[in-house]
Amino acid sequence: MSGTSVQTDIGERLDAAAGSGDLRPLRNAFRIGFESLVGSAVGEMWANHEITAITFQAYNLLLEAEIARSPEKVTDLQYSYEQLAPVFERLQLVLAPITPERDRVLQAALDLYQLGFGPASIFSLRGAELSDRAAAARLSTESHALAQ
């Protein structure tokens, strides 16, 4: 339905209600309906921007973990990453009535977000790598000391 046809339909309904005399209930119904539509559209736009912003934040945390130099730093980054979970859940609820555009945004965000969880997550792999390197360096130092 186009904006012009909606406007025409509203006009016709108002004209029909004019015969009854009191237009306040009809006007209130339209006002509440339009405020709800505008409010939900604004909320959806906000949620789309918010999901994009939090996806970039998650991506940056993943990149930082990839170049971290200590297991402690990786653990701190993982904790920060896990703090994003409630925000993702809230945004999923806002974007629940999915249109194809919002579905693509939400799916891309969730796919990237899932990279930070589980045994094959960047945090787990990088933490294990840094721990193994530290252990190998310690063993190398000990074996060198024993050799001398």
Side-chain angles (χ1 to χ4, degrees):
M1 201 177 238
S2 70
T4 306
S5 64
V6 169
Q7 183 177 0
T8 304
D9 187 44
I10 291 171
E12 289 172 359
R13 289 175 191 257
L14 284 172
D15 290 340
S20 68
D22 187 15
L23 296 178
R24 282 179 294 174
L26 186 59
R27 287 179 195 263
N28 285 338
F30 280 125
R31 181 183 50 80
I32 292 168
F34 284 135
E35 286 176 359
S36 298
L37 286 172
V38 170
S40 65
V42 168
E44 290 169 6
M45 287 188 315
W46 168 82
N48 277 329
H49 291 298
E50 189 73 16
I51 197 88
T52 303
I54 202 163
T55 301
F56 277 112
Q57 186 177 3
Y59 178 70
N60 286 333
L61 288 169
L62 292 171
L63 287 179
E64 281 187 59
E66 185 180 346
I67 61 171
R69 301 238 181 244
S70 71
E72 295 81 20
K73 177 71 173 171
V74 173
T75 303
D76 291 343
L77 291 169
Q78 184 175 11
Y79 177 76
S80 296
Y81 195 83
E82 290 169 353
Q83 298 309 304
L84 301 176
V87 179
F88 268 101
E89 290 169 6
R90 186 181 74 233
L91 291 172
Q92 280 181 281
L93 290 175
V94 172
L95 295 174
I98 298 292
T99 63
E101 294 80 21
R102 280 186 254 142
D103 185 42
R104 283 192 294 273
V105 170
L106 191 57
Q107 280 309 119
L110 291 174
D111 289 346
L112 183 117
Y113 184 64
Q114 291 303 320
L115 293 175
F117 291 102
S121 75
I122 291 173
F123 299 109
S124 299
L125 296 175
R126 184 65 176 164
E129 177 189 2
L130 291 171
S131 296
D132 291 347
R133 282 186 182 187
R138 185 177 37 81
L139 288 173
S140 177
T141 303
E142 289 174 0
S143 64
H144 184 67
L146 286 173
Q148 289 183 348

